[in-house]
Amino acid sequence: MAEADDGNRRQPVKKFHWDKEDYFPYLVRDYKQSIIALEYLVDDLHGDKELTIARFLAHCGSEDFLWGIVRLMGAENLRVSGNSAYVFGTIAETADGIDRIVGLLTNRSHPDSANILIHLVNLLKSNDYECLMNAAGTIGTIVILSFLF
């Protein structure tokens, strides 16, 4: 981690994966690239959730990337599907994010629209505690915040 000079003391500066490379488009590429992008996104969210979400939603391809996350929520690999639910729920925690998520849920013209809830409910049935909690948290966030924003 690099350091920034703040007068007399040095402060660590967080380096994000999106600082090094625009990996968001990888979310809609082949499965292997999508998984790498998902891992980067989870890591960046842990570094600075608000900044990463703002950067993600400001990207010109963000709606396609959200659909890529929806596709990954249906993955057989529980780490991938659980992390996708976590990312989806984390994005939904912001005013802009919940608007986008509700837009996806109500987009009847997109073939994956109905799959969002199907994937989340399937994760609720998982024996993996982390997947179950990510799905439950995501559903709860969407339900509560869709009424507030």
Side-chain angles (χ1 to χ4, degrees), residues 14 17-18 23-24 26-27 31-47 52 69 72 77-84 86-87 130:
K14 173 69 177 157
H17 295 282
W18 43 259
Y23 65 85
F24 299 141
Y26 298 166
L27 289 166
Y31 185 69
K32 186 175 179 180
Q33 288 181 322
S34 296
I35 292 171
I36 293 169
L38 181 67
E39 292 294 327
Y40 285 170
L41 186 51
V42 168
D43 190 43
D44 285 346
L45 286 168
H46 289 153
T52 299
I69 293 169
L72 291 171
N77 181 309
L78 291 178
R79 177 180 170 93
V80 173
S81 55
N83 279 346
S84 300
Y86 163 76
V87 168
E130 188 173 344

PDB file of all heavy atoms in Angstrom, residues 14 17-18 23-24 26-27 31-47 52 69 72 77-84 86-87 130:
ATOM      1  N   LYS A  14      -5.194   3.631  -0.122  1.00  0.00           N
ATOM      2  CA  LYS A  14      -5.725   2.364  -0.627  1.00  0.00           C
ATOM      3  C   LYS A  14      -5.645   2.339  -2.144  1.00  0.00           C
ATOM      4  O   LYS A  14      -6.025   3.284  -2.812  1.00  0.00           O
ATOM      5  CB  LYS A  14      -7.180   2.202  -0.164  1.00  0.00           C
ATOM      6  CG  LYS A  14      -7.916   1.032  -0.746  1.00  0.00           C
ATOM      7  CD  LYS A  14      -7.420  -0.297  -0.252  1.00  0.00           C
ATOM      8  CE  LYS A  14      -8.282  -1.411  -0.840  1.00  0.00           C
ATOM      9  NZ  LYS A  14      -7.655  -2.660  -0.885  1.00  0.00           N
ATOM     10  N   HIS A  17      -8.476  -2.198  -7.286  1.00  0.00           N
ATOM     11  CA  HIS A  17      -8.270  -2.922  -8.544  1.00  0.00           C
ATOM     12  C   HIS A  17      -8.709  -2.070  -9.727  1.00  0.00           C
ATOM     13  O   HIS A  17      -8.086  -2.094 -10.777  1.00  0.00           O
ATOM     14  CB  HIS A  17      -9.031  -4.250  -8.534  1.00  0.00           C
ATOM     15  CG  HIS A  17      -8.523  -5.210  -7.511  1.00  0.00           C
ATOM     16  ND1 HIS A  17      -7.379  -5.943  -7.683  1.00  0.00           N
ATOM     17  CD2 HIS A  17      -8.996  -5.543  -6.291  1.00  0.00           C
ATOM     18  CE1 HIS A  17      -7.170  -6.696  -6.624  1.00  0.00           C
ATOM     19  NE2 HIS A  17      -8.134  -6.473  -5.757  1.00  0.00           N
ATOM     20  N   TRP A  18      -9.792  -1.273  -9.547  1.00  0.00           N
ATOM     21  CA  TRP A  18     -10.256  -0.438 -10.647  1.00  0.00           C
ATOM     22  C   TRP A  18      -9.332   0.742 -10.918  1.00  0.00           C
ATOM     23  O   TRP A  18      -9.431   1.359 -11.957  1.00  0.00           O
ATOM     24  CB  TRP A  18     -11.703   0.024 -10.483  1.00  0.00           C
ATOM     25  CG  TRP A  18     -12.149   0.498  -9.131  1.00  0.00           C
ATOM     26  CD1 TRP A  18     -12.866  -0.220  -8.220  1.00  0.00           C
ATOM     27  CD2 TRP A  18     -11.969   1.787  -8.553  1.00  0.00           C
ATOM     28  NE1 TRP A  18     -13.124   0.548  -7.106  1.00  0.00           N
ATOM     29  CE2 TRP A  18     -12.587   1.785  -7.282  1.00  0.00           C
ATOM     30  CE3 TRP A  18     -11.329   2.956  -8.975  1.00  0.00           C
ATOM     31  CZ2 TRP A  18     -12.587   2.886  -6.439  1.00  0.00           C
ATOM     32  CZ3 TRP A  18     -11.339   4.057  -8.128  1.00  0.00           C
ATOM     33  CH2 TRP A  18     -11.957   4.015  -6.887  1.00  0.00           C
ATOM     34  N   TYR A  23     -11.859  -3.384 -14.672  1.00  0.00           N
ATOM     35  CA  TYR A  23     -12.262  -4.785 -14.711  1.00  0.00           C
ATOM     36  C   TYR A  23     -13.773  -4.980 -14.749  1.00  0.00           C
ATOM     37  O   TYR A  23     -14.247  -6.093 -14.990  1.00  0.00           O
ATOM     38  CB  TYR A  23     -11.692  -5.542 -13.503  1.00  0.00           C
ATOM     39  CG  TYR A  23     -12.238  -5.073 -12.171  1.00  0.00           C
ATOM     40  CD1 TYR A  23     -13.445  -5.576 -11.668  1.00  0.00           C
ATOM     41  CD2 TYR A  23     -11.570  -4.122 -11.413  1.00  0.00           C
ATOM     42  CE1 TYR A  23     -13.958  -5.144 -10.464  1.00  0.00           C
ATOM     43  CE2 TYR A  23     -12.069  -3.693 -10.216  1.00  0.00           C
ATOM     44  CZ  TYR A  23     -13.258  -4.200  -9.735  1.00  0.00           C
ATOM     45  OH  TYR A  23     -13.761  -3.768  -8.533  1.00  0.00           O
ATOM     46  N   PHE A  24     -14.561  -3.949 -14.532  1.00  0.00           N
ATOM     47  CA  PHE A  24     -16.021  -4.105 -14.511  1.00  0.00           C
ATOM     48  C   PHE A  24     -16.568  -4.798 -15.771  1.00  0.00           C
ATOM     49  O   PHE A  24     -17.448  -5.655 -15.654  1.00  0.00           O
ATOM     50  CB  PHE A  24     -16.729  -2.766 -14.299  1.00  0.00           C
ATOM     51  CG  PHE A  24     -16.410  -2.077 -12.998  1.00  0.00           C
ATOM     52  CD1 PHE A  24     -16.254  -0.700 -12.958  1.00  0.00           C
ATOM     53  CD2 PHE A  24     -16.285  -2.779 -11.804  1.00  0.00           C
ATOM     54  CE1 PHE A  24     -15.979  -0.047 -11.771  1.00  0.00           C
ATOM     55  CE2 PHE A  24     -16.008  -2.134 -10.609  1.00  0.00           C
ATOM     56  CZ  PHE A  24     -15.850  -0.758 -10.585  1.00  0.00           C
ATOM     57  N   TYR A  26     -15.432  -7.162 -17.366  1.00  0.00           N
ATOM     58  CA  TYR A  26     -15.189  -8.601 -17.294  1.00  0.00           C
ATOM     59  C   TYR A  26     -16.383  -9.342 -16.695  1.00  0.00           C
ATOM     60  O   TYR A  26     -16.512 -10.544 -16.864  1.00  0.00           O
ATOM     61  CB  TYR A  26     -13.948  -8.918 -16.467  1.00  0.00           C
ATOM     62  CG  TYR A  26     -12.654  -8.368 -17.020  1.00  0.00           C
ATOM     63  CD1 TYR A  26     -11.513  -8.328 -16.237  1.00  0.00           C
ATOM     64  CD2 TYR A  26     -12.560  -7.878 -18.311  1.00  0.00           C
ATOM     65  CE1 TYR A  26     -10.318  -7.828 -16.724  1.00  0.00           C
ATOM     66  CE2 TYR A  26     -11.369  -7.371 -18.813  1.00  0.00           C
ATOM     67  CZ  TYR A  26     -10.255  -7.358 -18.006  1.00  0.00           C
ATOM     68  OH  TYR A  26      -9.079  -6.860 -18.489  1.00  0.00           O
ATOM     69  N   LEU A  27     -17.265  -8.618 -15.989  1.00  0.00           N
ATOM     70  CA  LEU A  27     -18.442  -9.243 -15.383  1.00  0.00           C
ATOM     71  C   LEU A  27     -19.397  -9.813 -16.423  1.00  0.00           C
ATOM     72  O   LEU A  27     -20.234 -10.654 -16.097  1.00  0.00           O
ATOM     73  CB  LEU A  27     -19.186  -8.237 -14.494  1.00  0.00           C
ATOM     74  CG  LEU A  27     -18.478  -7.853 -13.201  1.00  0.00           C
ATOM     75  CD1 LEU A  27     -19.114  -6.623 -12.589  1.00  0.00           C
ATOM     76  CD2 LEU A  27     -18.490  -9.021 -12.216  1.00  0.00           C
ATOM     77  N   TYR A  31     -17.020 -17.031 -18.145  1.00  0.00           N
ATOM     78  CA  TYR A  31     -17.173 -17.360 -16.728  1.00  0.00           C
ATOM     79  C   TYR A  31     -15.895 -17.093 -15.925  1.00  0.00           C
ATOM     80  O   TYR A  31     -15.956 -16.492 -14.851  1.00  0.00           O
ATOM     81  CB  TYR A  31     -17.611 -18.819 -16.603  1.00  0.00           C
ATOM     82  CG  TYR A  31     -17.927 -19.254 -15.199  1.00  0.00           C
ATOM     83  CD1 TYR A  31     -19.045 -18.766 -14.530  1.00  0.00           C
ATOM     84  CD2 TYR A  31     -17.120 -20.173 -14.540  1.00  0.00           C
ATOM     85  CE1 TYR A  31     -19.347 -19.175 -13.243  1.00  0.00           C
ATOM     86  CE2 TYR A  31     -17.409 -20.591 -13.257  1.00  0.00           C
ATOM     87  CZ  TYR A  31     -18.522 -20.088 -12.609  1.00  0.00           C
ATOM     88  OH  TYR A  31     -18.804 -20.497 -11.325  1.00  0.00           O
ATOM     89  N   LYS A  32     -14.756 -17.507 -16.439  1.00  0.00           N
ATOM     90  CA  LYS A  32     -13.491 -17.343 -15.711  1.00  0.00           C
ATOM     91  C   LYS A  32     -13.171 -15.861 -15.486  1.00  0.00           C
ATOM     92  O   LYS A  32     -12.801 -15.460 -14.374  1.00  0.00           O
ATOM     93  CB  LYS A  32     -12.350 -18.032 -16.466  1.00  0.00           C
ATOM     94  CG  LYS A  32     -11.047 -18.027 -15.724  1.00  0.00           C
ATOM     95  CD  LYS A  32      -9.982 -18.815 -16.463  1.00  0.00           C
ATOM     96  CE  LYS A  32      -8.674 -18.779 -15.701  1.00  0.00           C
ATOM     97  NZ  LYS A  32      -7.627 -19.536 -16.380  1.00  0.00           N
ATOM     98  N   GLN A  33     -13.326 -15.034 -16.517  1.00  0.00           N
ATOM     99  CA  GLN A  33     -13.074 -13.601 -16.370  1.00  0.00           C
ATOM    100  C   GLN A  33     -14.098 -12.960 -15.438  1.00  0.00           C
ATOM    101  O   GLN A  33     -13.762 -12.056 -14.672  1.00  0.00           O
ATOM    102  CB  GLN A  33     -13.086 -12.907 -17.729  1.00  0.00           C
ATOM    103  CG  GLN A  33     -11.877 -13.227 -18.574  1.00  0.00           C
ATOM    104  CD  GLN A  33     -11.915 -12.505 -19.906  1.00  0.00           C
ATOM    105  OE1 GLN A  33     -12.971 -12.361 -20.519  1.00  0.00           O
ATOM    106  NE2 GLN A  33     -10.757 -12.056 -20.356  1.00  0.00           N
ATOM    107  N   SER A  34     -15.338 -13.422 -15.494  1.00  0.00           N
ATOM    108  CA  SER A  34     -16.383 -12.890 -14.622  1.00  0.00           C
ATOM    109  C   SER A  34     -16.066 -13.163 -13.155  1.00  0.00           C
ATOM    110  O   SER A  34     -16.281 -12.302 -12.296  1.00  0.00           O
ATOM    111  CB  SER A  34     -17.742 -13.500 -14.973  1.00  0.00           C
ATOM    112  OG  SER A  34     -18.143 -13.132 -16.258  1.00  0.00           O
ATOM    113  N   ILE A  35     -15.558 -14.348 -12.889  1.00  0.00           N
ATOM    114  CA  ILE A  35     -15.211 -14.705 -11.509  1.00  0.00           C
ATOM    115  C   ILE A  35     -14.072 -13.829 -10.999  1.00  0.00           C
ATOM    116  O   ILE A  35     -14.099 -13.358  -9.857  1.00  0.00           O
ATOM    117  CB  ILE A  35     -14.838 -16.196 -11.404  1.00  0.00           C
ATOM    118  CG1 ILE A  35     -16.066 -17.052 -11.659  1.00  0.00           C
ATOM    119  CG2 ILE A  35     -14.243 -16.518 -10.040  1.00  0.00           C
ATOM    120  CD1 ILE A  35     -15.759 -18.524 -11.782  1.00  0.00           C
ATOM    121  N   ILE A  36     -13.084 -13.588 -11.824  1.00  0.00           N
ATOM    122  CA  ILE A  36     -11.967 -12.715 -11.428  1.00  0.00           C
ATOM    123  C   ILE A  36     -12.486 -11.316 -11.140  1.00  0.00           C
ATOM    124  O   ILE A  36     -12.136 -10.716 -10.118  1.00  0.00           O
ATOM    125  CB  ILE A  36     -10.872 -12.700 -12.521  1.00  0.00           C
ATOM    126  CG1 ILE A  36     -10.203 -14.079 -12.611  1.00  0.00           C
ATOM    127  CG2 ILE A  36      -9.848 -11.602 -12.258  1.00  0.00           C
ATOM    128  CD1 ILE A  36      -9.311 -14.256 -13.828  1.00  0.00           C
ATOM    129  N   ALA A  37     -13.335 -10.789 -12.017  1.00  0.00           N
ATOM    130  CA  ALA A  37     -13.911  -9.454 -11.797  1.00  0.00           C
ATOM    131  C   ALA A  37     -14.735  -9.422 -10.516  1.00  0.00           C
ATOM    132  O   ALA A  37     -14.679  -8.439  -9.764  1.00  0.00           O
ATOM    133  CB  ALA A  37     -14.777  -9.053 -12.996  1.00  0.00           C
ATOM    134  N   LEU A  38     -15.483 -10.464 -10.248  1.00  0.00           N
ATOM    135  CA  LEU A  38     -16.278 -10.527  -9.019  1.00  0.00           C
ATOM    136  C   LEU A  38     -15.375 -10.491  -7.788  1.00  0.00           C
ATOM    137  O   LEU A  38     -15.659  -9.775  -6.818  1.00  0.00           O
ATOM    138  CB  LEU A  38     -17.135 -11.790  -9.022  1.00  0.00           C
ATOM    139  CG  LEU A  38     -18.035 -11.982  -7.807  1.00  0.00           C
ATOM    140  CD1 LEU A  38     -19.120 -10.915  -7.762  1.00  0.00           C
ATOM    141  CD2 LEU A  38     -18.653 -13.382  -7.836  1.00  0.00           C
ATOM    142  N   GLU A  39     -14.291 -11.240  -7.813  1.00  0.00           N
ATOM    143  CA  GLU A  39     -13.341 -11.240  -6.686  1.00  0.00           C
ATOM    144  C   GLU A  39     -12.736  -9.847  -6.487  1.00  0.00           C
ATOM    145  O   GLU A  39     -12.607  -9.373  -5.352  1.00  0.00           O
ATOM    146  CB  GLU A  39     -12.239 -12.277  -6.908  1.00  0.00           C
ATOM    147  CG  GLU A  39     -12.707 -13.695  -6.851  1.00  0.00           C
ATOM    148  CD  GLU A  39     -13.202 -14.130  -5.476  1.00  0.00           C
ATOM    149  OE1 GLU A  39     -12.678 -13.653  -4.452  1.00  0.00           O
ATOM    150  OE2 GLU A  39     -14.127 -14.961  -5.434  1.00  0.00           O
ATOM    151  N   TYR A  40     -12.366  -9.186  -7.574  1.00  0.00           N
ATOM    152  CA  TYR A  40     -11.841  -7.826  -7.487  1.00  0.00           C
ATOM    153  C   TYR A  40     -12.893  -6.884  -6.884  1.00  0.00           C
ATOM    154  O   TYR A  40     -12.570  -6.039  -6.041  1.00  0.00           O
ATOM    155  CB  TYR A  40     -11.444  -7.297  -8.866  1.00  0.00           C
ATOM    156  CG  TYR A  40     -10.172  -7.851  -9.454  1.00  0.00           C
ATOM    157  CD1 TYR A  40      -9.845  -7.588 -10.773  1.00  0.00           C
ATOM    158  CD2 TYR A  40      -9.289  -8.626  -8.713  1.00  0.00           C
ATOM    159  CE1 TYR A  40      -8.672  -8.070 -11.343  1.00  0.00           C
ATOM    160  CE2 TYR A  40      -8.128  -9.119  -9.276  1.00  0.00           C
ATOM    161  CZ  TYR A  40      -7.821  -8.840 -10.583  1.00  0.00           C
ATOM    162  OH  TYR A  40      -6.664  -9.312 -11.138  1.00  0.00           O
ATOM    163  N   LEU A  41     -14.136  -7.032  -7.326  1.00  0.00           N
ATOM    164  CA  LEU A  41     -15.202  -6.165  -6.851  1.00  0.00           C
ATOM    165  C   LEU A  41     -15.446  -6.362  -5.357  1.00  0.00           C
ATOM    166  O   LEU A  41     -15.583  -5.385  -4.608  1.00  0.00           O
ATOM    167  CB  LEU A  41     -16.480  -6.415  -7.662  1.00  0.00           C
ATOM    168  CG  LEU A  41     -17.679  -5.514  -7.405  1.00  0.00           C
ATOM    169  CD1 LEU A  41     -17.323  -4.037  -7.475  1.00  0.00           C
ATOM    170  CD2 LEU A  41     -18.789  -5.839  -8.400  1.00  0.00           C
ATOM    171  N   VAL A  42     -15.471  -7.594  -4.904  1.00  0.00           N
ATOM    172  CA  VAL A  42     -15.631  -7.871  -3.473  1.00  0.00           C
ATOM    173  C   VAL A  42     -14.487  -7.245  -2.691  1.00  0.00           C
ATOM    174  O   VAL A  42     -14.693  -6.595  -1.661  1.00  0.00           O
ATOM    175  CB  VAL A  42     -15.725  -9.391  -3.212  1.00  0.00           C
ATOM    176  CG1 VAL A  42     -15.603  -9.711  -1.724  1.00  0.00           C
ATOM    177  CG2 VAL A  42     -17.028  -9.953  -3.767  1.00  0.00           C
ATOM    178  N   ASP A  43     -13.268  -7.416  -3.181  1.00  0.00           N
ATOM    179  CA  ASP A  43     -12.093  -6.850  -2.515  1.00  0.00           C
ATOM    180  C   ASP A  43     -12.179  -5.321  -2.456  1.00  0.00           C
ATOM    181  O   ASP A  43     -11.918  -4.718  -1.413  1.00  0.00           O
ATOM    182  CB  ASP A  43     -10.828  -7.299  -3.246  1.00  0.00           C
ATOM    183  CG  ASP A  43      -9.566  -6.962  -2.488  1.00  0.00           C
ATOM    184  OD1 ASP A  43      -9.524  -7.162  -1.258  1.00  0.00           O
ATOM    185  OD2 ASP A  43      -8.604  -6.483  -3.130  1.00  0.00           O
ATOM    186  N   ASP A  44     -12.568  -4.691  -3.560  1.00  0.00           N
ATOM    187  CA  ASP A  44     -12.689  -3.230  -3.581  1.00  0.00           C
ATOM    188  C   ASP A  44     -13.808  -2.739  -2.664  1.00  0.00           C
ATOM    189  O   ASP A  44     -13.676  -1.700  -2.015  1.00  0.00           O
ATOM    190  CB  ASP A  44     -12.910  -2.723  -5.009  1.00  0.00           C
ATOM    191  CG  ASP A  44     -11.636  -2.772  -5.842  1.00  0.00           C
ATOM    192  OD1 ASP A  44     -10.535  -2.933  -5.274  1.00  0.00           O
ATOM    193  OD2 ASP A  44     -11.742  -2.663  -7.077  1.00  0.00           O
ATOM    194  N   LEU A  45     -14.905  -3.483  -2.592  1.00  0.00           N
ATOM    195  CA  LEU A  45     -15.995  -3.113  -1.674  1.00  0.00           C
ATOM    196  C   LEU A  45     -15.521  -3.163  -0.229  1.00  0.00           C
ATOM    197  O   LEU A  45     -15.901  -2.311   0.581  1.00  0.00           O
ATOM    198  CB  LEU A  45     -17.203  -4.034  -1.863  1.00  0.00           C
ATOM    199  CG  LEU A  45     -18.022  -3.807  -3.117  1.00  0.00           C
ATOM    200  CD1 LEU A  45     -19.009  -4.959  -3.329  1.00  0.00           C
ATOM    201  CD2 LEU A  45     -18.762  -2.477  -3.065  1.00  0.00           C
ATOM    202  N   HIS A  46     -14.688  -4.116   0.102  1.00  0.00           N
ATOM    203  CA  HIS A  46     -14.137  -4.192   1.446  1.00  0.00           C
ATOM    204  C   HIS A  46     -13.197  -3.026   1.722  1.00  0.00           C
ATOM    205  O   HIS A  46     -13.078  -2.586   2.871  1.00  0.00           O
ATOM    206  CB  HIS A  46     -13.419  -5.515   1.667  1.00  0.00           C
ATOM    207  CG  HIS A  46     -14.347  -6.685   1.760  1.00  0.00           C
ATOM    208  ND1 HIS A  46     -13.955  -7.957   1.426  1.00  0.00           N
ATOM    209  CD2 HIS A  46     -15.651  -6.789   2.112  1.00  0.00           C
ATOM    210  CE1 HIS A  46     -14.965  -8.792   1.588  1.00  0.00           C
ATOM    211  NE2 HIS A  46     -16.006  -8.106   2.004  1.00  0.00           N
ATOM    212  N   GLY A  47     -12.543  -2.528   0.680  1.00  0.00           N
ATOM    213  CA  GLY A  47     -11.627  -1.393   0.840  1.00  0.00           C
ATOM    214  C   GLY A  47     -12.361  -0.080   1.063  1.00  0.00           C
ATOM    215  O   GLY A  47     -12.018   0.696   1.954  1.00  0.00           O
ATOM    216  N   THR A  52     -16.425   2.533  -4.172  1.00  0.00           N
ATOM    217  CA  THR A  52     -16.489   1.482  -5.190  1.00  0.00           C
ATOM    218  C   THR A  52     -17.862   1.419  -5.841  1.00  0.00           C
ATOM    219  O   THR A  52     -17.978   1.312  -7.061  1.00  0.00           O
ATOM    220  CB  THR A  52     -16.109   0.115  -4.582  1.00  0.00           C
ATOM    221  OG1 THR A  52     -14.765   0.203  -4.087  1.00  0.00           O
ATOM    222  CG2 THR A  52     -16.199  -1.001  -5.610  1.00  0.00           C
ATOM    223  N   ILE A  69     -23.758  -9.795 -12.800  1.00  0.00           N
ATOM    224  CA  ILE A  69     -23.795 -10.231 -11.401  1.00  0.00           C
ATOM    225  C   ILE A  69     -24.995 -11.147 -11.167  1.00  0.00           C
ATOM    226  O   ILE A  69     -24.898 -12.157 -10.472  1.00  0.00           O
ATOM    227  CB  ILE A  69     -23.792  -9.013 -10.455  1.00  0.00           C
ATOM    228  CG1 ILE A  69     -22.447  -8.275 -10.562  1.00  0.00           C
ATOM    229  CG2 ILE A  69     -24.064  -9.442  -9.015  1.00  0.00           C
ATOM    230  CD1 ILE A  69     -22.425  -6.923  -9.890  1.00  0.00           C
ATOM    231  N   LEU A  72     -24.154 -14.498 -12.385  1.00  0.00           N
ATOM    232  CA  LEU A  72     -23.246 -15.180 -11.462  1.00  0.00           C
ATOM    233  C   LEU A  72     -23.955 -15.667 -10.198  1.00  0.00           C
ATOM    234  O   LEU A  72     -23.515 -16.631  -9.571  1.00  0.00           O
ATOM    235  CB  LEU A  72     -22.069 -14.270 -11.102  1.00  0.00           C
ATOM    236  CG  LEU A  72     -21.079 -13.991 -12.230  1.00  0.00           C
ATOM    237  CD1 LEU A  72     -20.090 -12.920 -11.814  1.00  0.00           C
ATOM    238  CD2 LEU A  72     -20.367 -15.268 -12.649  1.00  0.00           C
ATOM    239  N   ASN A  77     -21.202 -22.899  -8.226  1.00  0.00           N
ATOM    240  CA  ASN A  77     -20.165 -22.669  -7.227  1.00  0.00           C
ATOM    241  C   ASN A  77     -20.716 -21.717  -6.169  1.00  0.00           C
ATOM    242  O   ASN A  77     -21.054 -20.569  -6.468  1.00  0.00           O
ATOM    243  CB  ASN A  77     -18.931 -22.078  -7.916  1.00  0.00           C
ATOM    244  CG  ASN A  77     -17.788 -21.833  -6.971  1.00  0.00           C
ATOM    245  OD1 ASN A  77     -17.933 -21.218  -5.923  1.00  0.00           O
ATOM    246  ND2 ASN A  77     -16.614 -22.292  -7.362  1.00  0.00           N
ATOM    247  N   LEU A  78     -20.826 -22.194  -4.931  1.00  0.00           N
ATOM    248  CA  LEU A  78     -21.452 -21.397  -3.874  1.00  0.00           C
ATOM    249  C   LEU A  78     -20.662 -20.149  -3.510  1.00  0.00           C
ATOM    250  O   LEU A  78     -21.251 -19.139  -3.122  1.00  0.00           O
ATOM    251  CB  LEU A  78     -21.688 -22.261  -2.630  1.00  0.00           C
ATOM    252  CG  LEU A  78     -22.748 -23.343  -2.779  1.00  0.00           C
ATOM    253  CD1 LEU A  78     -22.856 -24.171  -1.504  1.00  0.00           C
ATOM    254  CD2 LEU A  78     -24.093 -22.730  -3.144  1.00  0.00           C
ATOM    255  N   ARG A  79     -19.366 -20.210  -3.646  1.00  0.00           N
ATOM    256  CA  ARG A  79     -18.577 -18.999  -3.377  1.00  0.00           C
ATOM    257  C   ARG A  79     -18.937 -17.909  -4.381  1.00  0.00           C
ATOM    258  O   ARG A  79     -19.106 -16.746  -4.028  1.00  0.00           O
ATOM    259  CB  ARG A  79     -17.086 -19.314  -3.429  1.00  0.00           C
ATOM    260  CG  ARG A  79     -16.208 -18.084  -3.220  1.00  0.00           C
ATOM    261  CD  ARG A  79     -14.739 -18.444  -3.280  1.00  0.00           C
ATOM    262  NE  ARG A  79     -13.916 -17.276  -3.309  1.00  0.00           N
ATOM    263  CZ  ARG A  79     -13.397 -16.687  -2.236  1.00  0.00           C
ATOM    264  NH1 ARG A  79     -13.630 -17.180  -1.047  1.00  0.00           N
ATOM    265  NH2 ARG A  79     -12.638 -15.610  -2.351  1.00  0.00           N
ATOM    266  N   VAL A  80     -19.064 -18.281  -5.638  1.00  0.00           N
ATOM    267  CA  VAL A  80     -19.402 -17.330  -6.696  1.00  0.00           C
ATOM    268  C   VAL A  80     -20.820 -16.802  -6.507  1.00  0.00           C
ATOM    269  O   VAL A  80     -21.052 -15.589  -6.516  1.00  0.00           O
ATOM    270  CB  VAL A  80     -19.236 -17.966  -8.094  1.00  0.00           C
ATOM    271  CG1 VAL A  80     -19.754 -17.049  -9.178  1.00  0.00           C
ATOM    272  CG2 VAL A  80     -17.773 -18.316  -8.344  1.00  0.00           C
ATOM    273  N   SER A  81     -21.778 -17.688  -6.319  1.00  0.00           N
ATOM    274  CA  SER A  81     -23.166 -17.243  -6.174  1.00  0.00           C
ATOM    275  C   SER A  81     -23.357 -16.441  -4.893  1.00  0.00           C
ATOM    276  O   SER A  81     -24.053 -15.418  -4.890  1.00  0.00           O
ATOM    277  CB  SER A  81     -24.132 -18.427  -6.228  1.00  0.00           C
ATOM    278  OG  SER A  81     -23.802 -19.403  -5.272  1.00  0.00           O
ATOM    279  N   GLY A  82     -22.725 -16.843  -3.811  1.00  0.00           N
ATOM    280  CA  GLY A  82     -22.831 -16.106  -2.553  1.00  0.00           C
ATOM    281  C   GLY A  82     -22.193 -14.731  -2.626  1.00  0.00           C
ATOM    282  O   GLY A  82     -22.750 -13.742  -2.131  1.00  0.00           O
ATOM    283  N   ASN A  83     -21.014 -14.650  -3.239  1.00  0.00           N
ATOM    284  CA  ASN A  83     -20.362 -13.352  -3.408  1.00  0.00           C
ATOM    285  C   ASN A  83     -21.173 -12.438  -4.317  1.00  0.00           C
ATOM    286  O   ASN A  83     -21.241 -11.224  -4.103  1.00  0.00           O
ATOM    287  CB  ASN A  83     -18.945 -13.514  -3.960  1.00  0.00           C
ATOM    288  CG  ASN A  83     -17.942 -13.879  -2.896  1.00  0.00           C
ATOM    289  OD1 ASN A  83     -18.197 -13.771  -1.704  1.00  0.00           O
ATOM    290  ND2 ASN A  83     -16.776 -14.342  -3.317  1.00  0.00           N
ATOM    291  N   SER A  84     -21.809 -13.019  -5.324  1.00  0.00           N
ATOM    292  CA  SER A  84     -22.648 -12.224  -6.219  1.00  0.00           C
ATOM    293  C   SER A  84     -23.838 -11.645  -5.462  1.00  0.00           C
ATOM    294  O   SER A  84     -24.190 -10.476  -5.655  1.00  0.00           O
ATOM    295  CB  SER A  84     -23.143 -13.075  -7.382  1.00  0.00           C
ATOM    296  OG  SER A  84     -22.055 -13.564  -8.115  1.00  0.00           O
ATOM    297  N   TYR A  86     -23.890 -11.024  -2.275  1.00  0.00           N
ATOM    298  CA  TYR A  86     -23.312  -9.995  -1.403  1.00  0.00           C
ATOM    299  C   TYR A  86     -23.126  -8.673  -2.164  1.00  0.00           C
ATOM    300  O   TYR A  86     -23.512  -7.606  -1.686  1.00  0.00           O
ATOM    301  CB  TYR A  86     -21.972 -10.474  -0.833  1.00  0.00           C
ATOM    302  CG  TYR A  86     -21.135  -9.365  -0.272  1.00  0.00           C
ATOM    303  CD1 TYR A  86     -21.437  -8.787   0.957  1.00  0.00           C
ATOM    304  CD2 TYR A  86     -20.047  -8.857  -0.988  1.00  0.00           C
ATOM    305  CE1 TYR A  86     -20.677  -7.743   1.462  1.00  0.00           C
ATOM    306  CE2 TYR A  86     -19.295  -7.818  -0.494  1.00  0.00           C
ATOM    307  CZ  TYR A  86     -19.609  -7.264   0.729  1.00  0.00           C
ATOM    308  OH  TYR A  86     -18.857  -6.217   1.219  1.00  0.00           O
ATOM    309  N   VAL A  87     -22.549  -8.744  -3.347  1.00  0.00           N
ATOM    310  CA  VAL A  87     -22.311  -7.539  -4.160  1.00  0.00           C
ATOM    311  C   VAL A  87     -23.634  -6.889  -4.527  1.00  0.00           C
ATOM    312  O   VAL A  87     -23.798  -5.663  -4.402  1.00  0.00           O
ATOM    313  CB  VAL A  87     -21.485  -7.874  -5.425  1.00  0.00           C
ATOM    314  CG1 VAL A  87     -21.485  -6.714  -6.406  1.00  0.00           C
ATOM    315  CG2 VAL A  87     -20.061  -8.267  -5.049  1.00  0.00           C
ATOM    316  N   GLU A 130     -22.883 -18.740   4.815  1.00  0.00           N
ATOM    317  CA  GLU A 130     -22.542 -17.432   4.245  1.00  0.00           C
ATOM    318  C   GLU A 130     -23.423 -17.104   3.041  1.00  0.00           C
ATOM    319  O   GLU A 130     -23.897 -15.978   2.891  1.00  0.00           O
ATOM    320  CB  GLU A 130     -21.062 -17.373   3.860  1.00  0.00           C
ATOM    321  CG  GLU A 130     -20.619 -15.988   3.454  1.00  0.00           C
ATOM    322  CD  GLU A 130     -19.122 -15.891   3.229  1.00  0.00           C
ATOM    323  OE1 GLU A 130     -18.369 -16.781   3.657  1.00  0.00           O
ATOM    324  OE2 GLU A 130     -18.708 -14.903   2.594  1.00  0.00           O
TER     325      GLU A 130
END
